[in-house]
Amino acid sequence: MSSSLSSLNCYRPRHDSSDDEPEAMVEGKAGWRGSSSTRAGKQPENVWPPYPPPDESELERAVRLEEEREAKLVSDAIDRALEAERQTLRRERKLETKLLLLGQSESGKSTMLKNFQIQFAPNAIRAESDAWRAVIHLNLVRSVNFLLDILTRPPSNNHPGDSSPTTSSFSNRVSATPQPNSDLRRFKLTLSPLRQVERILAKYLSAHDVPSADDSRAASPTGSYLATAADVTIRGGHSWRALCQPRREGDDEGHSRHSDGRVDPVENARQILDACRADVVLMWTSAPMQAALRDEGVSRDDVCAFFLDDADRIMQKDYEPTFDDILRARLQTDGVEEHHLTMETGMFTSRAENGQHWIFYDVGGARGQRASWVPFFEDVNAIIFLCSTAGFNEVLAEDPTVNRLLDSFTTWKTICSSKLLVSVQFILILNKMDLLDARLKEGIQFSHYVKSYKDENDVEHVTEYLKRKFSAIHRHHSPEPRKLHMHSTCAIDMDTTSAVLLRIRDTLLVTYLAAMELI
Ligand SMILES: Nc1nc2c(ncn2[C@@H]2O[C@H](COP(=O)(O)OP(=O)(O)OP(=O)(O)O)[C@@H](O)[C@H]2O)c(=O)[nH]1
Ligand SMILES: [Mg+2]
């Protein structure tokens, strides 16, 4: 259709249809009739309308002019249709804002995406509550199983309090756990059904098996890397949410069944969780457990402590995840996920914004996944790059020889240099400010890891240093001068992040209005 439209569109009206000698009108116009060969009487090819025959009668001339007039009407109509089509395409494209979330693994990309969803499309994310419940339960049972393992395994050499760089993972540290006492042995027995729960939830959430806590250092079947006991990898895309079965009514035996009589395993898992609730609370708060965590140097993040602290609430049979829970659910991104967000009217959206459509591309940040980022560079309006500021004394899970902060600088430099991104908005988020603050207050010296840092060891000075550093890289390596928007966040704190999201929303809105030629 379009090729026939464009060939018809070659029609060009003669400037004076009553004039049989049009050359003078078009003299000098390239590609038109003004060449010397045409003056000599030769008809060039592909010219419309054709020259009148030299011995044209009055009647023939009238017919020819009528035909030309009709052709012009058709051509004009086609021109108008094409222009309308172009306008519609342009409008549709402009109504969408495409955002690419970049940064190393665990920098907080998916958590930031959830913040956007909670703030601007709360009903949509609430509708995914069943799926998030399964992820939260899986985070929790993996942590419990992991803790049971470390509490009951034989001791080995440990270096408690070692301040050397860590992955954010517990699992590459060696242990000297006390011998299991009878309480811990009992927990191991009474909580053994949670192994089954882990398998059930993993199967439901993922097309492939999620590795158990024992294998948490092992590469997953898709090549991604599980950094902590709490990590859960699910194949990219939305399909995992669809995998969650709707809730079933309990039958006479206390088991939930599908309409065809099969027991619903996810519902069963929830019953087991409910039954194990008291023992999980007891185990988590027991003195030997807390001592073992200290001795082993296990951080709260390694074991989803937020969920364990709230195990009594989260393991209840009728548990409904809160937004805070959803924000903290850890689901390692594998590949590139596309998320659509349509702004809902609420306290943070005006009527003008309602219905605006954002497409987020959330990528896996581990090194092995970064090649998959590039195809998305050409078609986005903005890049949101996250850097975990807490990474200054950590190393990459996938390569323990590389400092996380250094890796962020290097990655940022590559992104800034990309010619494909010259006309894209750049937004940088310094994330995990809570952890940075806590570590500096603990006395961990930033300058010990960043040799060029000479200032005071507090969050304000370190943040200023990081902003200067990222800004300088951006300035020096961008192919063309470009504005950089910088923010600092704690992405698991909805209240403080909210103000940042509104500022980002305003930045994007300006881009949007400019694209619509409204400003
Ligand atoms: N303390 C703290 N934890 C955070 C913050 N932001 C994210 N997290 C946690 O860090 C972990 C990793 O966050 P994600 O958002 O999954 O990281 P990601 O960048 O998407 O990681 P990949 O999917 O592996 O690339 C999760 O357990 C989050 O709850 C923060 O500001 N402070
Ligand atoms: Mg992610």
Side-chain angles (χ1 to χ4, degrees):
M1 156 113 175
S2 59
S3 68
S4 64
L5 286 183
S6 52
S7 65
L8 268 172
N9 207 31
C10 287
Y11 170 86
R12 289 291 180 277
R14 295 181 329 156
H15 291 259
D16 179 3
S17 57
S18 65
D19 187 354
D20 288 347
E21 296 297 325
E23 290 85 352
M25 302 292 293
V26 293
E27 184 110 306
K29 289 194 183 170
W32 193 248
R33 294 177 179 175
S35 71
S36 54
S37 64
T38 58
R39 278 205 207 109
K42 256 196 205 164
Q43 164 84 45
E45 288 177 10
N46 301 326
V47 170
W48 183 265
Y51 290 130
D55 49 357
E56 186 179 44
S57 70
E58 273 305 307
L59 183 61
E60 286 167 339
R61 182 167 181 272
V63 170
R64 176 175 57 75
L65 289 179
E66 182 54 28
E67 281 172 356
E68 283 182 20
R69 213 174 355 262
E70 275 171 19
K72 182 173 183 318
L73 284 176
V74 172
S75 173
D76 286 351
I78 289 166
D79 276 352
R80 279 197 301 277
L82 278 175
E83 184 51 33
E85 201 176 302
R86 263 185 234 119
Q87 296 272 3
T88 311
L89 268 177
R90 231 176 277 147
R91 245 195 328 272
E92 279 172 3
R93 280 179 66 82
K94 281 178 189 166
L95 276 174
E96 288 176 352
T97 305
K98 292 186 179 174
L99 301 142
L100 183 57
L101 289 156
L102 298 178
Q104 68 193 191
S105 185
E106 292 189 70
S107 53
K109 300 178 293 297
S110 304
T111 310
M112 193 51 72
L113 167 63
K114 283 184 268 176
N115 271 290
F116 274 104
Q117 291 170 318
I118 290 168
Q119 180 140 333
F120 297 119
N123 294 329
I125 194 161
R126 212 172 272 125
E128 297 174 353
S129 174
D130 277 355
W132 285 114
R133 183 193 306 108
V135 175
I136 291 161
H137 280 159
L138 185 52
N139 284 164
L140 190 131
V141 290
R142 287 200 63 181
S143 296
V144 172
N145 291 337
F146 174 78
L147 289 171
L148 286 171
D149 283 342
I150 62 161
L151 279 173
T152 52
R153 78 184 174 205
S156 60
N157 300 325
N158 190 25
H159 310 281
D162 189 353
S163 67
S164 59
T166 64
T167 63
S168 52
S169 151
F170 157 81
S171 43
N172 68 337
R173 298 171 212 151
V174 276
S175 74
T177 322
Q179 288 293 338
N181 65 24
S182 58
D183 269 356
L184 296 178
R185 273 197 301 274
R186 184 179 71 79
F187 287 136
K188 190 150 177 127
L189 198 69
T190 55
L191 297 179
S192 62
L194 293 183
R195 305 266 170 199
Q196 171 71 359
V197 171
E198 182 178 338
R199 277 192 294 276
I200 293 171
L201 293 173
K203 194 165 167 215
Y204 260 77
L205 284 168
S206 176
H208 57 74
D209 276 347
V210 172
S212 70
D214 310 332
D215 319 320
S216 62
R217 294 279 306 163
S220 79
T222 49
S224 59
Y225 206 84
L226 298 180
T228 71
D231 272 354
V232 175
T233 303
I234 305 292
R235 211 169 41 182
H238 271 287
S239 50
W240 63 272
R241 283 168 206 178
L243 283 169
C244 288
Q245 299 289 321
R247 235 173 300 160
R248 312 279 161 186
E249 291 300 314
D251 66 7
D252 294 344
E253 301 155 295
H255 290 143
S256 298
R257 291 181 184 274
H258 292 283
S259 49
D260 61 4
R262 282 181 298 122
V263 174
D264 180 342
V266 173
E267 198 53 42
N268 252 351
R270 291 180 68 181
Q271 296 196 3
I272 298 171
L273 283 167
D274 193 42
C276 293
R277 194 154 52 101
D279 275 337
V280 167
V281 174
L282 270 178
M283 182 200 72
W284 174 237
T285 51
S286 71
M289 169 56 75
Q290 293 303 316
L293 292 179
R294 267 195 313 276
D295 293 347
E296 297 274 355
V298 178
S299 83
R300 286 175 59 83
D301 281 349
D302 287 336
V303 289
C304 289
F306 175 81
F307 294 143
L308 284 165
D309 288 344
D310 263 358
D312 190 43
R313 171 178 67 90
I314 288 170
M315 294 174 77
Q316 282 190 20
K317 205 169 164 303
D318 57 358
Y319 161 65
E320 290 295 335
T322 63
F323 281 153
D324 247 336
D325 297 339
I326 293 175
L327 213 50
R328 288 174 189 257
R330 169 69 175 142
L331 192 62
Q332 190 179 37
T333 313
D334 183 11
V336 179
E337 290 182 2
E338 183 177 317
H339 295 264
H340 289 247
L341 184 157
T342 302
M343 286 234 190
E344 296 164 9
T345 312
M347 55 192 286
F348 296 115
T349 49
S350 65
R351 272 170 66 106
E353 288 159 332
N354 188 25
Q356 226 191 94
H357 196 72
W358 289 357
I359 301 177
F360 286 88
Y361 299 105
D362 182 19
V363 303
R367 281 191 158 183
Q369 309 230 356
R370 296 183 192 170
S372 64
W373 301 359
V374 183
F376 292 83
F377 283 8
E378 277 187 274
D379 195 28
V380 289
N381 304 99
I383 295 277
I384 302 183
F385 186 93
L386 282 103
C387 163
S388 163
T389 53
F392 77 91
N393 71 333
E394 292 174 357
V395 290
L396 293 179
E398 62 270 36
D399 184 353
T401 64
V402 178
N403 175 281
R404 273 184 181 267
L405 186 58
L406 193 64
D407 176 71
S408 275
F409 288 151
T410 319
T411 315
W412 175 242
K413 184 172 143 186
T414 311
I415 301 296
C416 290
S417 318
S418 172
K419 290 201 171 69
L420 295 172
L421 296 171
V422 277
S423 52
V424 167
Q425 286 275 9
F426 266 50
I427 298 166
L428 173 77
I429 294 182
L430 300 177
N431 191 34
K432 301 203 177 180
M433 294 299 291
D434 56 324
L435 295 180
L436 173 69
D437 190 31
R439 284 178 200 180
L440 298 177
K441 281 185 176 145
E442 247 176 64
I444 301 175
Q445 295 298 311
F446 191 77
S447 58
H448 180 77
Y449 299 94
V450 181
K451 296 295 173 203
S452 59
Y453 186 73
K454 307 283 179 225
D455 243 319
E456 286 166 50
N457 200 54
D458 61 36
V459 74
E460 288 78 21
H461 288 91
V462 170
T463 310
E464 273 315 305
Y465 169 85
L466 290 173
K467 284 187 173 172
R468 274 200 310 276
K469 179 88 184 171
F470 275 104
S471 176
I473 296 175
H474 178 258
R475 208 169 37 251
H476 292 139
H477 295 279
S478 296
E480 287 172 17
R482 171 179 47 200
K483 196 166 163 43
L484 171 64
H485 305 267
M486 275 194 279
H487 306 278
S488 45
T489 54
C490 165
I492 50 168
D493 179 347
M494 272 191 298
D495 293 340
T496 58
T497 307
S498 168
V500 171
L501 295 190
L502 291 176
R503 291 213 294 278
I504 294 177
R505 190 264 323 257
D506 290 346
T507 304
L508 296 173
L509 198 60
V510 170
T511 316
Y512 170 82
L513 292 175
M516 293 286 282
E517 289 151 17
L518 292 175
I519 53 171

